Structures are given as C-alpha cells and as structure tokens.
Amino acid sequence: MAYPFQLGFQDASSPIMEELLHFHDHTLMIVFLISSLVLYIISLMLTTKLTHTSTMDAQEVETIWTILPAIILIMIALPSLRILYMMDEINNPSLTVKTMGHQWYWSYEYTDYEDLSFDSYMIPTSDLNPGDLRLLEVDNRVVLPMELPIRMLISSEDVLHSWAVPSLGLKTDAIPGRLNQATLISTRPGLFYGQCSEICGSNHSFMPIVLEMVPLKHFENWSLSMI
C-alpha cells in the first residue's frame, strides 16, 4: 500500500517484484553514472581553454564511444530479458482464478471449484467505515493462499481494462476476446491494493482491486464457507 507523498515503489511482496526493484536500481545506477560523466565533460569543455589537437580526430576515441554504449545496453538488456521470462513462466499453479473486467467492476471465478464466483464493486465513499481507504475498498475481496503459485486468467467483456497490483509486480491487460495469463505468489499475508490501469471510460477511477493473502488453512475455510 502506498503512503502519502511516496516517491519510490511500494514494498515488494512477491519474488517477481523483488527482481523488478533490483533491476530498477541497477538501471538507475547506470543512468546516474552516464549522466554524471556527460555533465562533467560538458562543464569541463565550458570552463577550460586547453584542447588537444588530435582529440577531435582519433580512431581510438571513436572506437571507445561506439563499443562502450553497446556494452552498457547489453548490461541492461540481459537482466531485463531474464525477468521477462520469469514473469511469463508458470510452473504447476496450485490455483486458477479467472478475472473479467466490466464497466466498471471486476468479476472473479475460482475455476478449481464448482460454483465459486462473485463480482467485486468499489464501496461508495458514503458507505465507508472508519479506517477504510477511499476509492480502494471493495465489497468482495479476492481471497488467495499465500506462498503458493496462482494463475490469473484475465479478460474483459466490454472495453480494454488492465488488472494491476503494484506490490506484487502485476499488470496485465484485460482485452475483449483474448485471455491473458499472469502468475502471482505472495511471500507474506496481508491486503494488497490495485486499480484498473487502462482508461476504460467515465468511471475508470472507480474499479479497485483488493487481494487478501491468507495462510492455506484460512483460505480453505473461506472457500468452504463461500460454496
């Protein structure tokens, strides 16, 4: 959950999000070093009158400033591709949940159970209890077991939506007529908030996502009470 005036990412609650945070720090450090070097060279050129006559026509310099950017791009691309393949890989999911986007609410169906499905609407501001979060609370939370691989099948029944939960590193488009797939695994229990991240109409801001990650025993008790 983000807090007011937060500038960075939310705390990672999944292995994928931890990898994304590490990659962000890795890339940001490279950008910082390049920016510092360029700023230093520019300031040096503006403040000194000493120039080397052969600097502007040197094969060695041209070779370096051609090869060095290529090496830097490789250093960025390889970790990025690794995380990309990790995000697409699904190994024996313990549970499958089908998510359908509507204007403007979400529908969830636990496909491993015979009759376990529900709609999830945002709770209006006038109905909130003390301590509830405005524009983020829903009437039916998605209860899932923690520390287990879960497959999310995401689609839409009307327009483009996007199912996103930042602290779990999830953001998958919900496209009419297309079934997208995402994997999530939470390393700790708790409530994880998200929102639709694709402009989908006048009430786009009013279709939040709330995941409640609980131990497996609590999830089994909840699923039995819902059936």
Side-chain angles (χ1 to χ4, degrees):
M1 178 65 199
Y3 55 84
F5 303 105
Q6 179 175 346
L7 297 179
F9 291 100
Q10 297 182 25
D11 292 337
S13 300
S14 70
I16 291 295
M17 190 58 190
E18 290 178 3
E19 293 289 338
L20 289 171
L21 288 178
H22 292 153
F23 175 68
H24 169 265
D25 296 340
H26 166 75
T27 308
L28 195 63
M29 185 56 63
I30 293 176
V31 172
F32 175 75
L33 292 175
I34 293 174
S35 302
S36 301
L37 177 62
V38 172
L39 182 63
Y40 171 73
I41 293 174
I42 291 175
S43 61
L44 203 64
M45 293 177 64
L46 294 175
T47 55
T48 182
K49 295 181 180 180
L50 299 176
T51 56
H52 199 284
T53 55
S54 62
T55 301
M56 304 304 295
D57 186 25
Q59 295 295 328
E60 294 82 3
V61 175
E62 292 183 7
T63 303
I64 292 173
W65 73 37
T66 301
I67 295 177
L68 192 60
I71 295 174
I72 294 173
L73 289 175
I74 292 173
M75 291 174 61
I76 296 175
L78 291 181
S80 174
L81 290 173
R82 173 176 165 270
I83 297 174
L84 193 63
Y85 278 98
M86 287 175 60
M87 293 174 69
D88 284 340
E89 189 170 345
I90 296 180
N91 291 322
N92 300 322
S94 302
L95 183 68
T96 300
V97 180
K98 182 181 177 182
T99 304
M100 297 295 293
H102 307 266
Q103 288 181 312
W104 288 270
Y105 64 96
W106 296 99
S107 296
Y108 298 97
E109 179 184 348
Y110 291 72
T111 58
D112 298 285
Y113 295 83
E114 186 173 347
D115 188 20
L116 180 51
S117 61
F118 53 84
D119 297 332
S120 181
Y121 290 85
M122 186 194 76
I123 299 178
T125 303
S126 58
D127 297 338
L128 291 176
N129 297 318
D132 287 345
L133 300 170
R134 179 177 171 270
L135 301 182
L136 287 176
E137 298 291 350
V138 296
D139 56 355
N140 291 309
R141 295 171 176 170
V142 184
V143 181
L144 297 171
M146 57 177 285
E147 296 181 336
L148 289 176
I150 299 166
R151 175 172 54 194
M152 303 296 299
L153 301 177
I154 300 164
S155 186
S156 172
E157 285 199 356
D158 37 49
V159 299
L160 290 176
H161 299 279
S162 185
W163 199 80
V165 183
S167 58
L168 296 175
L170 290 172
K171 185 179 183 298
T172 304
D173 288 340
I175 304 172
R178 179 185 175 93
L179 200 62
N180 286 331
Q181 182 173 266
T183 310
L184 71 89
I185 178 170
S186 175
T187 55
R188 58 182 180 180
L191 292 177
F192 302 101
Y193 294 88
Q195 288 178 302
C196 177
S197 297
E198 187 76 41
I199 296 177
C200 55
S202 58
N203 289 337
H204 158 67
S205 303
F206 308 117
M207 47 187 304
I209 301 159
V210 182
L211 302 185
E212 184 175 352
M213 309 302 295
V214 298
L216 180 59
K217 184 177 180 180
H218 291 76
F219 172 76
E220 291 175 343
N221 294 333
W222 172 84
S223 61
L224 290 175
S225 66
M226 292 289 291
I227 298 176

